[in-house]
C-alpha cells in the first residue's frame, strides 16, 4: 500500500512508524523547513502513553521528561496561593504519566523512525484528485504521487482538510481564547522557580512558566479573546495582553521572541473525517483544544487506531472503523474542554480563588481519589490494553 502523510507532527510521525511496520510505502511531507523544537509541555498519559509504550520509546521519553515537582498558582510576585504536588498527580494516574515538551516528543518519534521513512521538509500538498485506482496527490514541488491513501495530519489549520472538505470556518470552533508559548533563557528566573510550574491567573488571563530542560524556561499563556483572526504581530499582542500581571510575568515577557507560537484555543468539529481515500488525523480531524489537553495523546491514539484498522482491510472500510472507534473518545474530550474552560481561565476572581483551593485537595487522600477517578475517565485510552 502507498501512503502520503501530510504533516510530520505528532500524529504524522506516529502513523508513519506504525505503517512502516506493516510494509506500507510511506512518504511524509512537512511544510516547515526542518524539524521544529517549539511548543509547550504536555502531561502525557492515556492513549499517548500506551502507544509510546507499544512503540518501545518510553525510556527515551523518560530521559527527556521534565522533572517538575509542583504546580503552583502564584500571585504576580511568585507567592503561592494554591496548587498541587506533582507526585499527587502521578499517583492519581497510577504512575503512567510523563511531562514532556512537545518538541522533545517530536524528536523522539522522529528518531524512532530512523531513515526508514523519508520526511520531505519544505513541501506541502497542492491538489488532491480522486482517480479510479487511488488518489493523485500533487505536492508543492510539482511532483504527483498516485497513492492508495492520503492522510492529512497537518494540524488544526490543515490544508488537506481545506482542499478536500472545505474552508476552515466550517469546522473550527473557537472557545473564545488565544494562546501563546515560547522558550527562553533567564538564569535568575530559572533559579527562582526551580522545578515548579508557576501559574499567575487573573480574570480572563493566565500566564505561566516552567523549567524546560538544560537551564531553559518555557512560557505558556492563555487569554480570553473572541477575535476570529490571528494578529499580524503576535509578539505585540502577547505584550499587550499579559503586561501588568506582576514583576514575575513582566520579566518573562522581556524574553518574548518576534514570532512566538500563537493560535486560537479552538476545536475542530466535523461530521466525518474521511472522503474516499483521503482521511484526517489528529488536530486536523478533531483538535480538542488546550482546555481539554491531551491533543498529542489523541493524535497518537488515532494514529495507532488507523494503522491497526488498515491491516488487512480495504481502505474504505478501515477508514470507517477508525472513525467509529475514535469518535466517542474525541467527543468526550471535546465536551470536557468546553466545560473546563471557565475554570482553567476564569472570568471572575472568586472562581480563581475557589479553583486554586480545590486543586490543593488533590494533595489529600480523599481529594486525590475523587480527582483521580475523573482524570482517569477523561484520559481513558483508545488503545486496547496490551494484556
Ligand atoms: C511548532 C508547534 C508548536 C505547538 N505548540 C503548541 C502549544 O504551545 N500549545 C498547544 O495547545 N498546542 C500546540 N501545538 C499543537 C499540538 O502540537 C497539537 O495539538 C498536538 O500535538 C496534535 O498533533 P498533530 O500532529 O495533530 O498536529 P501538530 O502537532 O500541529 O502537527 C501538524 C504538522 O503538520 C505540519 N503542517 C501544517 N500544514 C502543513 C501543510 N500544508 N503541509 C505539510 N505540513 C503541514 C505542521 O508544520 C506540523 O508539523 C503546537 C504545534 C506545533 C507544530
Amino acid at each position: 500500500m502507498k501512503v502520503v502523510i501530510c504533516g510530520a507532527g505528532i500524529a504524522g510521525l506516529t502513523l508513519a512508524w506504525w505503517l512502516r511496520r506493516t510494509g506500507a510505502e510511506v512518504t511524509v511531507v512537512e511544510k516547515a523547513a526542518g524539524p521544529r523544537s517549539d511548543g509547550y509541555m504536555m502531561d502525557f498519559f492515556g492513549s499517548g502513553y500506551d502507544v509510546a509504550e507499544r512503540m518501545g520509546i518510553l525510556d527515551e521519553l523518560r530521559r527527556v521528561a521534565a522533572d517538575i515537582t509542583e504546580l503552583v498558582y502564584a500571585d504576580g510576585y511568585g507567592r503561592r496561593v494554591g496548587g498541587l504536588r506533582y507526585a499527587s498527580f502521578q499517583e492519581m494516574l497510577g504512575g503512567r504519566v510523563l511531562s514532556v515538551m512537545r518538541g522533545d516528543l517530536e524528536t523522539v518519534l522522529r528518531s524512532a523512525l530512523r531513515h526508514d521513512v523519508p520526511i520531505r521538509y519544505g513541501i506541502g500538498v497542492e491538489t488532491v484528485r480522486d482517480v479510479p485506482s487511488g488518489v493523485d496527490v500533487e505536492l508543492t514541488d510539482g511532483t504527483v504521487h498516485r497513492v492508495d491513501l492520503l492522510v492529512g495530519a497537518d494540524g488544526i489549520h490543515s490544508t488537506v482538510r481545506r482542499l478536500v472538505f472545505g474552508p476552515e470556518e466550517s469546522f473550527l470552533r473557537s472557545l473564545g481564547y488565544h494562546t501563546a508559548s515560547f522558550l527562553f533563557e533567564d538564569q535568575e528566573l530559572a533559579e527562582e522557580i526551580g522545578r515548579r510550574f508557576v501559574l499567575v491567573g487573573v480574570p480572563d488571563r493566565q500566564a505561566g512558566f516552567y523549567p524546560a530542560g538544560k537551564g531553559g524556561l518555557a512560557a505558556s499563556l492563555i487569554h480570553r479573546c473572541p477575535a476570529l483572526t490571528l494578529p499580524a504581530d503576535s509578539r505585540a499582542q502577547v505584550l499587550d495582553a499579559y503586561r501588568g500581571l506582576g514583576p514575575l510575568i513582566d520579566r518573562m515577557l522581556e524574553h518574548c521572541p518576534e514570532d512566538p507560537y500563537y493560535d486560537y484555543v479552538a476545536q475542530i468539529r466535523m461530521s466525518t473525517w474521511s472522503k474516499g481515500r483521503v482521511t484526517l488525523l489528529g488536530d486536523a480531524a478533531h483538535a480538542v483544544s488546550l482546555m481539554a489537553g491531551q491533543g498529542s495523546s489523541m493524535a497518537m491514539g488515532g494514529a495507532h487506531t488507523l494503522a491497526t484498522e488498515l491491516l488487512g482491510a480495504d481502505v474504505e472500510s478501515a477508514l470507517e472503523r477508525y472513525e467509529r472507534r475514535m469518535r466517542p473518545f474525541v467527543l468526550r474530550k471535546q465536551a470536557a474542554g468546553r466545560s473546563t474552560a471557565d475554570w482553567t481561565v476564569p472570568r471572575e476572581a472568586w472562581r480563581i480563588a475557589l479553583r486554586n483551593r480545590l486543586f490543593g485537595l488533590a494533595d489529600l487522600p480523599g481529594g486525590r481519589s475523587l480527582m483521580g477517578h475523573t482524570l482517569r475517565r477523561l484520559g481513558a485510552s483508545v488503545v486496547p490494553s496490551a494484556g
Side-chain angles (χ1 to χ4, degrees):
M1 182 168 61
K2 285 188 180 174
V3 183
V4 165
I5 300 174
C6 179
I10 309 304
L13 292 172
T14 308
L15 181 67
W17 190 92
W18 285 99
L19 287 182
R20 179 203 62 170
R21 287 172 38 115
T22 68
E25 200 182 306
V26 183
T27 301
V28 181
V29 295
E30 165 60 50
K31 169 176 88 164
R36 297 168 69 177
S37 62
D38 44 345
Y40 61 120
M41 190 178 68
M42 305 160 307
D43 289 317
F44 190 63
F45 60 99
S47 307
Y49 191 99
D50 293 350
V51 173
E53 186 171 45
R54 286 173 180 231
M55 293 171 75
I57 58 171
L58 271 186
D59 282 345
E60 296 302 312
L61 290 174
R62 280 193 196 102
R63 254 192 289 280
V64 295
D67 183 18
I68 305 282
T69 52
E70 199 179 9
L71 174 82
V72 174
Y73 287 111
D75 66 12
Y77 294 88
R79 291 179 299 225
R80 192 181 202 284
V81 291
L84 90 159
R85 288 182 307 117
Y86 198 72
S88 302
F89 183 56
Q90 280 180 316
E91 199 180 306
M92 287 190 263
L93 291 165
R96 293 178 67 81
V97 56
L98 290 169
S99 297
V100 185
M101 295 296 292
R102 183 200 172 283
D104 288 335
L105 173 60
E106 200 182 287
T107 304
V108 168
L109 288 170
R110 206 178 316 107
S111 55
L113 265 186
R114 295 189 211 96
H115 300 295
D116 302 351
V117 175
I119 303 176
R120 303 183 55 196
Y121 286 100
I123 292 178
V125 169
E126 187 76 45
T127 62
V128 181
R129 209 172 34 254
D130 269 335
V131 290
S133 53
V135 55
D136 278 354
V137 184
E138 184 188 357
L139 302 180
T140 49
D141 65 357
T143 57
V144 178
H145 296 239
R146 177 156 301 181
V147 292
D148 302 293
L149 176 65
L150 166 65
V151 181
D154 46 351
I156 192 164
H157 304 295
S158 167
T159 298
V160 173
R161 189 182 61 227
R162 177 172 55 74
L163 292 172
V164 176
F165 296 86
E168 181 165 298
E169 308 81 84
S170 310
F171 311 110
L172 188 138
R173 299 286 172 264
S174 166
L175 297 191
Y177 302 83
H178 286 191
T179 181
S181 65
F182 57 89
L183 298 173
F184 66 104
E185 288 186 12
D186 184 324
Q187 189 64 31
E188 210 175 299
L189 213 46
E191 277 165 21
E192 190 174 335
I193 68 155
R195 287 157 59 201
R196 299 174 306 156
F197 189 146
V198 177
L199 285 165
V200 177
V202 297
D204 291 341
R205 286 179 291 165
Q206 178 171 281
F209 57 101
Y210 47 90
K214 298 186 194 111
L217 294 167
S220 168
L221 309 157
I222 313 178
H223 68 284
R224 196 177 289 275
C225 181
L228 285 176
T229 47
L230 293 174
D233 184 344
S234 47
R235 179 173 188 272
Q237 177 76 16
V238 165
L239 299 186
D240 201 40
Y242 297 95
R243 240 191 313 243
L245 287 188
L248 209 55
I249 301 304
D250 285 347
R251 172 148 185 177
M252 174 189 84
L253 291 175
E254 287 170 19
H255 300 283
C256 182
E258 282 309 314
D259 191 20
Y261 170 82
Y262 189 103
D263 210 341
Y264 312 105
V265 175
Q267 299 187 331
I268 294 295
R269 294 189 225 143
M270 304 180 75
S271 56
T272 178
W273 305 329
S274 305
K275 203 180 248 184
R277 287 167 174 268
V278 181
T279 196
L280 301 172
L281 182 67
D283 275 9
H286 53 64
V288 292
S289 87
L290 185 60
M291 298 300 185
Q294 283 199 296
S296 295
S297 218
M298 297 300 285
M300 290 180 72
H304 177 269
T305 305
L306 176 57
T308 315
E309 292 301 345
L310 282 167
L311 271 176
D314 66 276
V315 170
E316 274 92 349
S317 32
L319 296 183
E320 202 185 302
R321 285 207 302 268
Y322 146 66
E323 187 160 337
R324 210 177 323 131
R325 277 178 60 192
M326 277 302 290
R327 195 169 276 278
F329 290 87
V330 167
L331 293 181
R332 196 157 53 221
K333 270 265 141 209
Q334 290 189 328
R338 291 192 293 275
S339 61
T340 52
D342 271 345
W343 289 98
T344 308
V345 186
R347 285 186 161 209
E348 310 89 351
W350 68 262
R351 208 189 277 260
I352 295 177
L354 181 60
R355 187 263 327 260
N356 295 351
R357 282 187 170 268
L358 287 176
F359 247 86
L361 292 180
D363 285 341
L364 307 173
R368 194 150 57 236
S369 139
L370 190 68
M371 284 172 81
H373 176 73
T374 312
L375 205 57
R376 283 190 299 278
R377 203 171 54 85
L378 283 176
S381 181
V382 66
V383 181
S385 110

